[in-house]
PDB file of all heavy atoms in Angstrom:
ATOM      1  N   ASP A  47      24.295 -43.292  28.265  1.00 94.00           N
ATOM      2  CA  ASP A  47      24.025 -43.445  26.795  1.00 94.00           C
ATOM      3  C   ASP A  47      22.995 -44.495  26.619  1.00 94.00           C
ATOM      4  O   ASP A  47      22.023 -44.225  25.903  1.00 94.00           O
ATOM      5  CB  ASP A  47      25.314 -43.956  26.169  1.00 94.00           C
ATOM      6  CG  ASP A  47      26.488 -42.933  26.142  1.00 94.00           C
ATOM      7  OD1 ASP A  47      26.122 -41.731  26.193  1.00 94.00           O
ATOM      8  OD2 ASP A  47      27.527 -43.402  26.033  1.00 94.00           O
ATOM      9  N   VAL A  48      23.028 -45.569  27.224  1.00 95.00           N
ATOM     10  CA  VAL A  48      22.091 -46.670  26.985  1.00 95.00           C
ATOM     11  C   VAL A  48      20.720 -46.350  27.608  1.00 95.00           C
ATOM     12  O   VAL A  48      19.751 -46.571  26.848  1.00 95.00           O
ATOM     13  CB  VAL A  48      22.759 -48.097  27.658  1.00 95.00           C
ATOM     14  CG1 VAL A  48      21.647 -49.230  27.428  1.00 95.00           C
ATOM     15  CG2 VAL A  48      24.004 -48.385  26.925  1.00 95.00           C
ATOM     16  N   LYS A  49      20.726 -45.822  28.698  1.00 91.00           N
ATOM     17  CA  LYS A  49      19.365 -45.458  29.416  1.00 91.00           C
ATOM     18  C   LYS A  49      18.677 -44.418  28.612  1.00 91.00           C
ATOM     19  O   LYS A  49      17.441 -44.590  28.463  1.00 91.00           O
ATOM     20  CB  LYS A  49      19.632 -45.103  30.794  1.00 91.00           C
ATOM     21  CG  LYS A  49      18.441 -44.888  31.606  1.00 91.00           C
ATOM     22  CD  LYS A  49      18.695 -44.553  33.092  1.00 91.00           C
ATOM     23  CE  LYS A  49      17.459 -44.350  33.839  1.00 91.00           C
ATOM     24  NZ  LYS A  49      17.636 -44.286  35.250  1.00 91.00           N
ATOM     25  N   ALA A  50      19.347 -43.554  28.028  1.00 90.00           N
ATOM     26  CA  ALA A  50      18.806 -42.490  27.226  1.00 90.00           C
ATOM     27  C   ALA A  50      18.218 -42.889  25.810  1.00 90.00           C
ATOM     28  O   ALA A  50      17.542 -42.289  25.118  1.00 90.00           O
ATOM     29  CB  ALA A  50      19.612 -41.315  27.141  1.00 90.00           C
ATOM     30  N   GLY A  51      18.655 -44.196  25.409  1.00 88.00           N
ATOM     31  CA  GLY A  51      18.375 -44.681  24.218  1.00 88.00           C
ATOM     32  C   GLY A  51      19.144 -44.116  23.072  1.00 88.00           C
ATOM     33  O   GLY A  51      18.824 -44.306  21.867  1.00 88.00           O
ATOM     34  N   GLN A  52      20.389 -43.594  23.235  1.00 86.00           N
ATOM     35  CA  GLN A  52      21.127 -42.867  22.333  1.00 86.00           C
ATOM     36  C   GLN A  52      22.127 -43.916  21.577  1.00 86.00           C
ATOM     37  O   GLN A  52      22.688 -43.486  20.531  1.00 86.00           O
ATOM     38  CB  GLN A  52      21.911 -41.756  22.893  1.00 86.00           C
ATOM     39  CG  GLN A  52      21.033 -40.666  23.596  1.00 86.00           C
ATOM     40  CD  GLN A  52      20.098 -40.106  22.567  1.00 86.00           C
ATOM     41  OE1 GLN A  52      20.391 -39.678  21.544  1.00 86.00           O
ATOM     42  NE2 GLN A  52      18.714 -40.157  22.981  1.00 86.00           N
ATOM     43  N   SER A  53      22.397 -45.089  22.289  1.00 95.00           N
ATOM     44  CA  SER A  53      23.451 -45.944  21.768  1.00 95.00           C
ATOM     45  C   SER A  53      22.967 -47.049  20.911  1.00 95.00           C
ATOM     46  O   SER A  53      23.793 -47.689  20.232  1.00 95.00           O
ATOM     47  CB  SER A  53      24.291 -46.411  22.939  1.00 95.00           C
ATOM     48  OG  SER A  53      23.487 -47.448  23.683  1.00 95.00           O
ATOM     49  N   GLY A  54      21.757 -47.378  20.999  1.00 96.00           N
ATOM     50  CA  GLY A  54      21.277 -48.525  20.387  1.00 96.00           C
ATOM     51  C   GLY A  54      21.377 -49.797  21.074  1.00 96.00           C
ATOM     52  O   GLY A  54      20.964 -50.903  20.596  1.00 96.00           O
ATOM     53  N   HIS A  55      22.161 -49.764  22.273  1.00 97.00           N
ATOM     54  CA  HIS A  55      22.373 -50.963  23.059  1.00 97.00           C
ATOM     55  C   HIS A  55      21.194 -51.450  23.915  1.00 97.00           C
ATOM     56  O   HIS A  55      20.334 -50.535  24.266  1.00 97.00           O
ATOM     57  CB  HIS A  55      23.539 -50.825  23.941  1.00 97.00           C
ATOM     58  CG  HIS A  55      24.841 -50.652  23.224  1.00 97.00           C
ATOM     59  ND1 HIS A  55      25.323 -49.384  22.689  1.00 97.00           N
ATOM     60  CD2 HIS A  55      25.846 -51.553  22.955  1.00 97.00           C
ATOM     61  CE1 HIS A  55      26.501 -49.675  22.116  1.00 97.00           C
ATOM     62  NE2 HIS A  55      26.746 -50.908  22.256  1.00 97.00           N
ATOM     63  N   LEU A  56      21.196 -52.592  24.224  1.00 97.00           N
ATOM     64  CA  LEU A  56      20.264 -53.225  25.181  1.00 97.00           C
ATOM     65  C   LEU A  56      21.017 -53.508  26.483  1.00 97.00           C
ATOM     66  O   LEU A  56      22.234 -53.801  26.507  1.00 97.00           O
ATOM     67  CB  LEU A  56      19.572 -54.525  24.729  1.00 97.00           C
ATOM     68  CG  LEU A  56      18.365 -54.319  23.708  1.00 97.00           C
ATOM     69  CD1 LEU A  56      18.766 -53.677  22.429  1.00 97.00           C
ATOM     70  CD2 LEU A  56      17.754 -55.732  23.527  1.00 97.00           C
ATOM     71  N   GLU A  57      20.381 -53.390  27.531  1.00 97.00           N
ATOM     72  CA  GLU A  57      20.938 -53.758  28.888  1.00 97.00           C
ATOM     73  C   GLU A  57      20.916 -55.415  28.871  1.00 97.00           C
ATOM     74  O   GLU A  57      19.755 -55.877  28.531  1.00 97.00           O
ATOM     75  CB  GLU A  57      20.153 -53.338  30.033  1.00 97.00           C
ATOM     76  CG  GLU A  57      20.430 -51.877  30.362  1.00 97.00           C
ATOM     77  CD  GLU A  57      19.803 -51.424  31.691  1.00 97.00           C
ATOM     78  OE1 GLU A  57      19.485 -52.276  32.603  1.00 97.00           O
ATOM     79  OE2 GLU A  57      19.878 -50.138  31.874  1.00 97.00           O
ATOM     80  N   VAL A  58      22.078 -56.050  29.067  1.00 98.00           N
ATOM     81  CA  VAL A  58      22.024 -57.432  29.069  1.00 98.00           C
ATOM     82  C   VAL A  58      22.848 -58.089  30.247  1.00 98.00           C
ATOM     83  O   VAL A  58      23.612 -57.204  30.953  1.00 98.00           O
ATOM     84  CB  VAL A  58      22.742 -57.859  27.760  1.00 98.00           C
ATOM     85  CG1 VAL A  58      21.966 -57.511  26.495  1.00 98.00           C
ATOM     86  CG2 VAL A  58      24.201 -57.413  27.754  1.00 98.00           C
ATOM     87  N   VAL A  59      22.670 -59.275  30.400  1.00 98.00           N
ATOM     88  CA  VAL A  59      23.645 -60.068  31.229  1.00 98.00           C
ATOM     89  C   VAL A  59      24.403 -61.112  30.391  1.00 98.00           C
ATOM     90  O   VAL A  59      23.691 -61.708  29.503  1.00 98.00           O
ATOM     91  CB  VAL A  59      22.998 -60.712  32.485  1.00 98.00           C
ATOM     92  CG1 VAL A  59      22.463 -59.719  33.401  1.00 98.00           C
ATOM     93  CG2 VAL A  59      21.812 -61.657  32.026  1.00 98.00           C
ATOM     94  N   GLN A  60      25.681 -61.136  30.598  1.00 98.00           N
ATOM     95  CA  GLN A  60      26.441 -62.090  29.940  1.00 98.00           C
ATOM     96  C   GLN A  60      26.949 -63.193  30.894  1.00 98.00           C
ATOM     97  O   GLN A  60      27.385 -62.970  32.002  1.00 98.00           O
ATOM     98  CB  GLN A  60      27.618 -61.580  29.169  1.00 98.00           C
ATOM     99  CG  GLN A  60      28.354 -62.641  28.359  1.00 98.00           C
ATOM    100  CD  GLN A  60      29.275 -61.944  27.262  1.00 98.00           C
ATOM    101  OE1 GLN A  60      30.440 -61.541  27.548  1.00 98.00           O
ATOM    102  NE2 GLN A  60      28.668 -61.752  26.102  1.00 98.00           N
ATOM    103  N   ILE A  61      26.595 -64.429  30.634  1.00 98.00           N
ATOM    104  CA  ILE A  61      26.685 -65.550  31.518  1.00 98.00           C
ATOM    105  C   ILE A  61      27.787 -66.472  30.946  1.00 98.00           C
ATOM    106  O   ILE A  61      27.767 -66.829  29.774  1.00 98.00           O
ATOM    107  CB  ILE A  61      25.463 -66.367  31.660  1.00 98.00           C
ATOM    108  CG1 ILE A  61      24.380 -65.417  32.163  1.00 98.00           C
ATOM    109  CG2 ILE A  61      25.625 -67.616  32.550  1.00 98.00           C
ATOM    110  CD1 ILE A  61      23.002 -66.019  31.841  1.00 98.00           C
ATOM    111  N   GLU A  62      28.830 -66.645  31.742  1.00 97.00           N
ATOM    112  CA  GLU A  62      29.922 -67.617  31.463  1.00 97.00           C
ATOM    113  C   GLU A  62      29.600 -68.887  32.177  1.00 97.00           C
ATOM    114  O   GLU A  62      29.424 -68.817  33.445  1.00 97.00           O
ATOM    115  CB  GLU A  62      31.247 -67.195  31.903  1.00 97.00           C
ATOM    116  CG  GLU A  62      31.646 -65.783  31.173  1.00 97.00           C
ATOM    117  CD  GLU A  62      32.914 -65.108  31.564  1.00 97.00           C
ATOM    118  OE1 GLU A  62      33.752 -65.914  32.058  1.00 97.00           O
ATOM    119  OE2 GLU A  62      33.159 -63.903  31.555  1.00 97.00           O
ATOM    120  N   PHE A  63      29.501 -69.987  31.383  1.00 97.00           N
ATOM    121  CA  PHE A  63      29.052 -71.137  31.976  1.00 97.00           C
ATOM    122  C   PHE A  63      29.860 -72.469  31.490  1.00 97.00           C
ATOM    123  O   PHE A  63      30.385 -72.370  30.298  1.00 97.00           O
ATOM    124  CB  PHE A  63      27.605 -71.442  31.833  1.00 97.00           C
ATOM    125  CG  PHE A  63      27.087 -71.650  30.335  1.00 97.00           C
ATOM    126  CD1 PHE A  63      26.856 -72.881  29.811  1.00 97.00           C
ATOM    127  CD2 PHE A  63      27.076 -70.528  29.478  1.00 97.00           C
ATOM    128  CE1 PHE A  63      26.354 -73.135  28.542  1.00 97.00           C
ATOM    129  CE2 PHE A  63      26.695 -70.735  28.194  1.00 97.00           C
ATOM    130  CZ  PHE A  63      26.320 -71.945  27.743  1.00 97.00           C
ATOM    131  N   ASP A  64      29.916 -73.530  32.186  1.00 95.00           N
ATOM    132  CA  ASP A  64      30.474 -74.762  31.704  1.00 95.00           C
ATOM    133  C   ASP A  64      29.452 -75.592  31.135  1.00 95.00           C
ATOM    134  O   ASP A  64      28.525 -76.103  31.862  1.00 95.00           O
ATOM    135  CB  ASP A  64      31.161 -75.412  32.960  1.00 95.00           C
ATOM    136  CG  ASP A  64      31.826 -76.724  32.680  1.00 95.00           C
ATOM    137  OD1 ASP A  64      31.470 -77.271  31.538  1.00 95.00           O
ATOM    138  OD2 ASP A  64      32.632 -77.216  33.365  1.00 95.00           O
ATOM    139  N   PRO A  65      29.404 -75.833  29.821  1.00 95.00           N
ATOM    140  CA  PRO A  65      28.398 -76.629  29.109  1.00 95.00           C
ATOM    141  C   PRO A  65      28.309 -78.102  29.658  1.00 95.00           C
ATOM    142  O   PRO A  65      27.236 -78.658  29.476  1.00 95.00           O
ATOM    143  CB  PRO A  65      28.678 -76.476  27.699  1.00 95.00           C
ATOM    144  CG  PRO A  65      30.073 -76.078  27.590  1.00 95.00           C
ATOM    145  CD  PRO A  65      30.451 -75.363  28.811  1.00 95.00           C
ATOM    146  N   ALA A  66      29.416 -78.574  30.207  1.00 93.00           N
ATOM    147  CA  ALA A  66      29.420 -80.016  30.737  1.00 93.00           C
ATOM    148  C   ALA A  66      28.555 -80.025  31.969  1.00 93.00           C
ATOM    149  O   ALA A  66      27.991 -81.074  32.320  1.00 93.00           O
ATOM    150  CB  ALA A  66      30.781 -80.463  30.984  1.00 93.00           C
ATOM    151  N   LEU A  67      28.416 -78.929  32.747  1.00 94.00           N
ATOM    152  CA  LEU A  67      27.690 -78.895  34.039  1.00 94.00           C
ATOM    153  C   LEU A  67      26.367 -78.226  33.911  1.00 94.00           C
ATOM    154  O   LEU A  67      25.492 -78.516  34.679  1.00 94.00           O
ATOM    155  CB  LEU A  67      28.565 -78.238  35.124  1.00 94.00           C
ATOM    156  CG  LEU A  67      29.899 -78.795  35.305  1.00 94.00           C
ATOM    157  CD1 LEU A  67      30.609 -77.978  36.399  1.00 94.00           C
ATOM    158  CD2 LEU A  67      29.706 -80.216  35.968  1.00 94.00           C
ATOM    159  N   PHE A  68      26.314 -77.284  32.927  1.00 95.00           N
ATOM    160  CA  PHE A  68      24.944 -76.533  32.896  1.00 95.00           C
ATOM    161  C   PHE A  68      24.692 -76.243  31.396  1.00 95.00           C
ATOM    162  O   PHE A  68      25.571 -75.509  30.755  1.00 95.00           O
ATOM    163  CB  PHE A  68      25.145 -75.207  33.641  1.00 95.00           C
ATOM    164  CG  PHE A  68      23.866 -74.700  34.189  1.00 95.00           C
ATOM    165  CD1 PHE A  68      23.336 -75.032  35.381  1.00 95.00           C
ATOM    166  CD2 PHE A  68      23.028 -73.762  33.390  1.00 95.00           C
ATOM    167  CE1 PHE A  68      22.157 -74.513  35.946  1.00 95.00           C
ATOM    168  CE2 PHE A  68      21.782 -73.330  33.855  1.00 95.00           C
ATOM    169  CZ  PHE A  68      21.338 -73.671  34.931  1.00 95.00           C
ATOM    170  N   SER A  69      23.609 -76.749  30.889  1.00 96.00           N
ATOM    171  CA  SER A  69      23.337 -76.612  29.394  1.00 96.00           C
ATOM    172  C   SER A  69      22.789 -75.217  29.000  1.00 96.00           C
ATOM    173  O   SER A  69      22.221 -74.546  29.825  1.00 96.00           O
ATOM    174  CB  SER A  69      22.399 -77.768  28.986  1.00 96.00           C
ATOM    175  OG  SER A  69      21.137 -77.456  29.431  1.00 96.00           O
ATOM    176  N   TYR A  70      22.942 -74.940  27.844  1.00 98.00           N
ATOM    177  CA  TYR A  70      22.342 -73.729  27.216  1.00 98.00           C
ATOM    178  C   TYR A  70      20.886 -73.854  27.279  1.00 98.00           C
ATOM    179  O   TYR A  70      20.131 -72.816  27.635  1.00 98.00           O
ATOM    180  CB  TYR A  70      22.926 -73.440  25.778  1.00 98.00           C
ATOM    181  CG  TYR A  70      22.455 -72.131  25.218  1.00 98.00           C
ATOM    182  CD1 TYR A  70      22.926 -70.952  25.661  1.00 98.00           C
ATOM    183  CD2 TYR A  70      21.431 -72.169  24.206  1.00 98.00           C
ATOM    184  CE1 TYR A  70      22.498 -69.817  25.140  1.00 98.00           C
ATOM    185  CE2 TYR A  70      20.938 -71.024  23.726  1.00 98.00           C
ATOM    186  CZ  TYR A  70      21.512 -69.789  24.143  1.00 98.00           C
ATOM    187  OH  TYR A  70      21.052 -68.554  23.614  1.00 98.00           O
ATOM    188  N   GLU A  71      20.277 -75.031  27.022  1.00 98.00           N
ATOM    189  CA  GLU A  71      18.868 -75.341  27.074  1.00 98.00           C
ATOM    190  C   GLU A  71      18.385 -74.846  28.513  1.00 98.00           C
ATOM    191  O   GLU A  71      17.295 -74.345  28.662  1.00 98.00           O
ATOM    192  CB  GLU A  71      18.600 -76.673  26.823  1.00 98.00           C
ATOM    193  CG  GLU A  71      18.733 -77.041  25.372  1.00 98.00           C
ATOM    194  CD  GLU A  71      20.123 -77.749  25.171  1.00 98.00           C
ATOM    195  OE1 GLU A  71      21.136 -77.489  25.943  1.00 98.00           O
ATOM    196  OE2 GLU A  71      20.138 -78.515  24.166  1.00 98.00           O
ATOM    197  N   LYS A  72      19.084 -75.168  29.597  1.00 97.00           N
ATOM    198  CA  LYS A  72      18.794 -75.030  30.925  1.00 97.00           C
ATOM    199  C   LYS A  72      18.873 -73.447  31.083  1.00 97.00           C
ATOM    200  O   LYS A  72      17.822 -72.865  31.740  1.00 97.00           O
ATOM    201  CB  LYS A  72      19.615 -75.620  31.946  1.00 97.00           C
ATOM    202  CG  LYS A  72      19.211 -75.304  33.375  1.00 97.00           C
ATOM    203  CD  LYS A  72      17.796 -76.019  33.693  1.00 97.00           C
ATOM    204  CE  LYS A  72      17.496 -75.866  35.133  1.00 97.00           C
ATOM    205  NZ  LYS A  72      16.119 -75.989  35.478  1.00 97.00           N
ATOM    206  N   LEU A  73      19.817 -72.739  30.584  1.00 98.00           N
ATOM    207  CA  LEU A  73      19.835 -71.242  30.747  1.00 98.00           C
ATOM    208  C   LEU A  73      18.477 -70.631  30.018  1.00 98.00           C
ATOM    209  O   LEU A  73      17.932 -69.747  30.583  1.00 98.00           O
ATOM    210  CB  LEU A  73      21.000 -70.759  29.946  1.00 98.00           C
ATOM    211  CG  LEU A  73      22.407 -71.031  30.735  1.00 98.00           C
ATOM    212  CD1 LEU A  73      23.495 -70.697  29.952  1.00 98.00           C
ATOM    213  CD2 LEU A  73      22.360 -70.251  32.146  1.00 98.00           C
ATOM    214  N   LEU A  74      18.116 -71.216  28.953  1.00 98.00           N
ATOM    215  CA  LEU A  74      16.873 -70.745  28.216  1.00 98.00           C
ATOM    216  C   LEU A  74      15.708 -70.948  29.161  1.00 98.00           C
ATOM    217  O   LEU A  74      14.802 -70.105  29.180  1.00 98.00           O
ATOM    218  CB  LEU A  74      16.760 -71.444  26.901  1.00 98.00           C
ATOM    219  CG  LEU A  74      17.608 -70.856  25.726  1.00 98.00           C
ATOM    220  CD1 LEU A  74      17.678 -71.868  24.663  1.00 98.00           C
ATOM    221  CD2 LEU A  74      17.572 -69.445  25.332  1.00 98.00           C
TER     222      LEU A  74
END
Side-chain angles (χ1 to χ4, degrees):
D47 293 331
V48 176
K49 189 173 181 172
Q52 302 303 308
S53 72
H55 291 86
L56 278 67
E57 287 193 13
V58 299
V59 290
Q60 188 158 87
I61 302 160
E62 295 176 32
F63 67 102
D64 180 342
L67 298 175
F68 207 91
S69 70
Y70 186 72
E71 294 94 328
K72 182 67 177 163
L73 290 171
L74 290 167

